[in-house]
Amino acid sequence: MRLIKNLLLASVCCCSTFSIQSCVDLDDRIYSEIVEDRYEPTPLDGLAKIGAAYTPFKGLCTRLLLGMSWDTDQIFCPVKPWGWTYGYQLFNHNYTSSSAEIDGGWNSCYDGINACNRTIWELQNGDQGDDTEALIKELEALRSCYYYYLCDLYGNVAWSVKYNGEEDYLPEQISRANLAGEIEKGLKKSLPYLYTDVNKKTYGRFTQWAAYATLAKLYLNWGVYVYGDGDKGRWQDCIDMCDKIIESDAFALTGTQKEIFVAENDFCKEAIFAVVFDEKNAQGLSLFTTNLNGQHAQTYQITGGWGNGGSIMVPQFIDSYHPDDKRLKENYLYGPQYDSDGNLMKAGLGSIAGQDFIIVNEVLSCEGSSGENCNENMGYRLAKYEYEMGLDGNNMNNDVFPFRYSDVLMMKAECLLRLGRADDAAELVTKVRRRSFNDQSVAVVTGDELNQGSCYAYGYKECVPSRGKYPKNPDGTWKYTTSDPGAPEAGGEDIVYGRFLDELGWEFDQEGRRRQDMIRFKTTSGKSVWIAKAWSSHKATNDINKQLYPIPLKEIQANSNLHQNEGY
């Protein structure tokens, strides 16, 4: 399988030399591209040219999987004895327009859009081949997908869909609602020209199925994007797009969920759109370095990178799992931690240095001056993506799937639920759940259950230090300050379709999409879960402006046509 991946990378990523040559004359302004009189198209193979437009998706994926997940009710990055002093700002939704994590998503998307615009111009002005028109439509569809992520994350962004040779060109700002409409038009226009084959030739390419999946996502969140109301999605349109994929018979559920995330996951049968990573030829997937501790280098005998131990799981989310769920057992590191020879390792930092390294599902607080708020043994570690023996911690081999078949089934199920067809929705949810339970009676979920609230024990929960020490109860357990059980921010019973939101959390955690789901689902108060609920030391903001990230400050300074999102 690795040989096939290397052949794929050789064909799609051979654009690197071309890209370097093309970028020599770029100036520093982010929206400027090559000036026309300084560029002459070359007769390079069209496939080699389009590779540059796919490369920024790697950066987008890593941003979504890492720092841009630290503000959810699943993953956070508390202050540690060894540092990481900025993750709590994201966790508390104290976003700033200068945050590197916020900048990163924007930059990756526009790197992709600029590459699409430039390459389309090159194809139009270079030697025309039999595949030129199809390649142009593929790039236009890929560009629409980049804009879909911008629409979701930032809303009101710069709109540019053509190469412009003017050095002082500044694109206009487009509203979130209008952007959603443009994304829909762009994808529909490209659809007839896109590949329908699912094979090694199209793996990693933006096919017709990827376009249908993007449209399904767009329609699912249409109410949020166009009306600011998660209850106003285009449910039947979303179902229609999902059915296109389901009825193709080109994709299927894997036997186990873990198969999707192993290091050798090339050509996984759930992969609708794959972002290809490779330790040598397509580097950048650094989950090990961000998620695990330094000691885990001994567990996996890593050949590069290191363990920073930044990201951990929110204890309340872990507590929401059924104890027999294989996803709980297989997607996290917890309990005693051993090296590759089976020896129990020791904690190395903080007040527990020298003690047995045993990871527990407890975090005192996201903030703290000494790091005792989150000692080295606190918080389950992220391990959904396989850490293979001998890996490079900065450059893992696992491919990432922004759209996978389970998601298509769950999107259709959610729309059926919202249209009053709860039992039909339950059949699809059960189909996804079956592989995660040995006892199939536990795997079955009913329509009535999906209409119930969430089992997530939302609410503020923090061990607040007094005179520099974290208090304990008489029995030696930590003493937490918590929300009043009756407070709106506490509990999950008031979340409309809360059990379905739980199902999304259990199936898709660590995949960079939780924020979107929390914004789409609402409580009976009419507010989104994102702003209405508290978890761990995160307090409910009740601020609708937090449902969009701020536009990076440097982009507003560079483009006078951009205006900051409300509330920032």
Side-chain angles (χ1 to χ4, degrees), residues 110-355:
Y110 276 108
D111 285 347
I113 290 167
N114 287 340
C116 288
N117 290 341
R118 181 183 66 244
T119 310
I120 289 169
W121 184 87
E122 292 168 358
L123 290 169
Q124 290 171 336
N125 290 275
D127 293 339
Q128 301 292 303
D130 294 338
D131 62 346
T132 299
E133 184 176 17
L135 289 172
I136 289 173
K137 294 302 181 183
E138 180 179 342
L139 288 167
E140 290 176 347
L142 179 64
R143 180 179 62 197
S144 294
C145 189
Y146 281 120
Y147 269 119
Y148 155 73
Y149 281 100
L150 285 169
C151 185
D152 187 74
L153 299 170
Y154 306 96
N156 311 291
V157 301
W159 176 248
S160 178
V161 292
K162 64 180 181 179
Y163 164 78
N164 193 300
E166 300 176 7
E167 291 187 344
D168 59 352
Y169 168 66
L170 297 175
E172 297 291 331
Q173 189 167 27
I174 186 172
S175 71
R176 193 184 204 187
N178 288 339
L179 178 57
E182 292 293 341
I183 294 167
E184 179 185 23
K185 287 192 293 185
L187 289 168
K188 285 186 171 181
K189 182 179 178 181
S190 299
L191 264 171
Y193 300 88
L194 301 177
Y195 281 109
T196 57
D197 298 335
V198 180
N199 52 36
K200 66 180 181 180
K201 178 181 179 181
T202 61
Y203 185 79
R205 304 276 294 276
F206 202 84
T207 64
Q208 196 170 105
W209 313 118
Y212 283 133
T214 309
L215 281 168
K217 284 285 188 184
L218 184 70
Y219 295 146
L220 185 69
N221 295 284
W222 190 267
V224 174
Y225 300 159
V226 176
Y227 305 108
D229 184 346
D231 287 339
K232 295 182 178 180
R234 292 168 58 176
W235 313 127
Q236 188 58 52
D237 287 337
C238 179
I239 290 173
D240 292 344
M241 295 301 100
C242 292
D243 282 342
K244 293 284 188 181
I245 298 170
I246 295 168
E247 293 168 6
S248 73
D249 290 326
F251 309 94
L253 291 173
T254 54
T256 67
Q257 192 202 59
K258 203 63 181 178
E259 293 174 42
I260 306 167
F261 303 97
V262 296
E264 298 293 335
N265 63 348
D266 319 25
F267 308 105
C268 171
K269 60 185 179 181
E270 281 215 25
I272 295 171
F273 178 44
V275 178
V276 179
F277 285 92
D278 183 84
E279 61 184 339
K280 295 181 179 178
N281 299 310
Q283 298 179 333
L285 189 64
S286 57
L287 301 182
F288 179 97
T289 295
T290 304
N291 295 341
L292 299 192
N293 288 66
Q295 296 95 318
H296 289 110
Q298 304 169 47
T299 304
Y300 298 100
Q301 298 180 354
I302 68 171
T303 58
W306 59 92
N308 285 334
S311 302
I312 61 173
M313 301 304 299
V314 175
Q316 286 148 294
F317 171 68
I318 293 297
D319 287 338
S320 73
Y321 274 100
H322 189 284
D324 295 335
D325 195 327
K326 294 178 184 177
R327 295 168 294 192
L328 172 62
K329 299 176 181 179
E330 297 175 355
N331 291 343
Y332 312 98
L333 294 183
Y334 57 92
Q337 299 298 293
Y338 301 94
D339 65 20
S340 58
D341 293 325
N343 301 308
L344 181 61
M345 298 186 292
K346 302 292 184 180
L349 296 169
S351 62
I352 64 168
Q355 298 179 21

Side-chain angles (χ1 to χ4, degrees), residues 353-536:
Q355 298 179 21
D356 291 345
F357 187 21
I358 302 174
I359 296 175
V360 299
N361 185 37
E362 188 160 36
V363 178
L364 304 186
S365 174
C366 194
E367 300 181 51
S369 58
S370 65
E372 296 297 297
N373 57 294
C374 184
N375 244 316
E376 196 170 18
N377 65 330
M378 291 184 173
Y380 280 27
R381 304 305 195 268
L382 288 66
K384 193 171 195 175
Y385 287 86
E386 180 192 16
Y387 304 116
E388 61 182 329
M389 192 67 67
L391 84 161
D392 181 335
N394 284 328
N395 301 297
M396 295 166 61
N397 283 307
N398 319 59
D399 293 344
V400 175
F401 309 132
F403 307 124
R404 61 181 178 95
Y405 189 63
S406 301
D407 194 7
V408 172
L409 296 179
M410 293 296 279
M411 283 194 287
K412 181 177 180 178
E414 180 179 337
C415 293
L416 290 171
L417 180 64
R418 291 178 181 273
L419 289 173
R421 298 170 59 185
D423 290 339
D424 292 335
E427 289 184 14
L428 291 173
V429 175
T430 297
K431 186 176 182 179
V432 174
R433 283 173 57 88
R434 285 194 182 280
R435 63 188 175 188
S436 296
F437 293 90
N438 291 326
D439 184 346
Q440 290 299 290
S441 66
V442 179
V444 175
V445 64
T446 68
D448 287 342
E449 288 174 327
L450 292 181
N451 275 311
Q452 294 174 9
S454 167
C455 71
Y456 192 119
Y458 286 99
Y460 172 73
K461 183 179 180 181
E462 183 175 21
C463 188
V464 180
S466 175
R467 297 181 180 180
K469 293 185 178 181
Y470 290 90
K472 289 188 174 183
N473 295 307
D475 63 0
T477 58
W478 298 107
K479 184 177 182 180
Y480 288 94
T481 299
T482 61
S483 299
D484 185 315
E489 67 192 38
E493 298 84 358
D494 61 335
I495 297 175
V496 183
Y497 309 122
R499 172 59 188 272
F500 193 92
L501 179 61
D502 291 343
E503 294 290 347
L504 294 177
W506 298 325
E507 178 63 24
F508 300 111
D509 76 294
Q510 303 176 55
E511 294 186 53
R513 52 164 288 165
R514 182 62 171 177
R515 169 189 164 276
Q516 182 186 93
D517 294 337
M518 293 180 69
I519 290 172
R520 189 172 65 256
F521 281 78
K522 299 195 299 186
T523 68
T524 53
S525 70
K527 297 176 182 177
S528 73
V529 176
W530 184 251
I531 66 173
K533 290 298 181 180
W535 53 88
S536 187

Side-chain angles (χ1 to χ4, degrees), residues 5-22 42 44-55 281-282:
K5 174 180 273 192
N6 288 340
L7 291 172
L8 171 76
L9 290 165
S11 65
V12 176
C13 298
C14 64
C15 60
S16 57
T17 302
F18 173 79
S19 299
I20 293 170
Q21 180 63 43
S22 298
T42 66
L44 283 176
D45 173 70
L47 180 58
K49 288 185 177 182
I50 70 170
Y54 282 92
T55 300
N281 299 310

